[in-house]
Amino acid sequence: MDGNTIYDTHFNGNEWFVIGVTVIAFAFIWLLPRTFSSVQTAFNMLIGIAFGLVIDHTLNVPPFDLYDLGDQTKYEIFDMMSYIMYAPFGYWFIYWYKRLRMYDLLIIPYILLWVGIALGLEWMAVKVGVFHYKHGYQLIYSFPVYLFLMSTHLVMYRTAFAQHRWERPS
């Protein structure tokens, strides 16, 4: 489909959803005890943004073109600002992994729990008009995407911040 589909022309539910989710998620980061260094915090937040950008710019542009983001097919300034919403979720995913000591076999249900959280947030985002599915795309198709992203994030975090990497040689 060429052209620009306009879904909405007002500042309303989809923008407020992005603002609300972002503010609430960052507020909890600010309120709860700090457990990460500034490098770890930046790493986890940037992973959230980077994964959001890469996946959205893979799935919502041709040849796939499976959904639109925001008020219209064309990108608007607010659409780019919405990627900030992904930052705290990268942080929270690793925060609770460390805080709850989710090691060994507990990793599997932990990742599945976060996939469920991501699917729930995406479902709400669809309902308020942040995402507009096209070409038969359905929420369940996001399951393997989130499963891959969260598993990759955890592997990257564990590799980058493995204890032995930061020890000085004797």
Side-chain angles (χ1 to χ4, degrees), residues 90-109:
Y91 176 90
W92 285 117
F93 175 65
I94 298 298
Y95 178 89
W96 291 111
Y97 163 79
K98 295 292 285 181
R99 191 93 169 164
L100 299 173
R101 295 184 170 96
M102 291 290 154
Y103 307 111
D104 301 324
L105 290 178
L106 292 175
I107 292 172
I108 295 168

Side-chain angles (χ1 to χ4, degrees), residues 21-22 39 49 58 62-63 83 87 101-103 109 111 116 125 136 140 143 148 151 156 162 169:
V21 166
T22 303
V39 171
I49 293 170
T58 300
Y83 290 112
R101 295 184 170 96
M102 291 290 154
Y103 307 111
I111 290 174
I140 195 66
F143 180 87
F148 173 76
S151 300
M156 291 173 69

Side-chain angles (χ1 to χ4, degrees), residues 10-20 22 69-71 74-85 130:
H10 299 90
F11 189 93
N12 53 19
N14 63 345
E15 290 88 1
W16 284 116
F17 177 84
V18 170
I19 291 168
T22 303
L69 177 67
D71 290 340
K74 292 182 181 176
Y75 276 103
E76 299 177 295
I77 299 286
F78 198 85
D79 297 338
M80 297 310 289
M81 292 170 47
S82 71
Y83 290 112
I84 296 168
M85 177 177 66
V130 175

Side-chain angles (χ1 to χ4, degrees), residues 21-33:
V21 166
T22 303
V23 167
I24 291 167
F26 273 111
F28 279 107
I29 290 171
W30 185 71
L31 292 171
L32 288 174

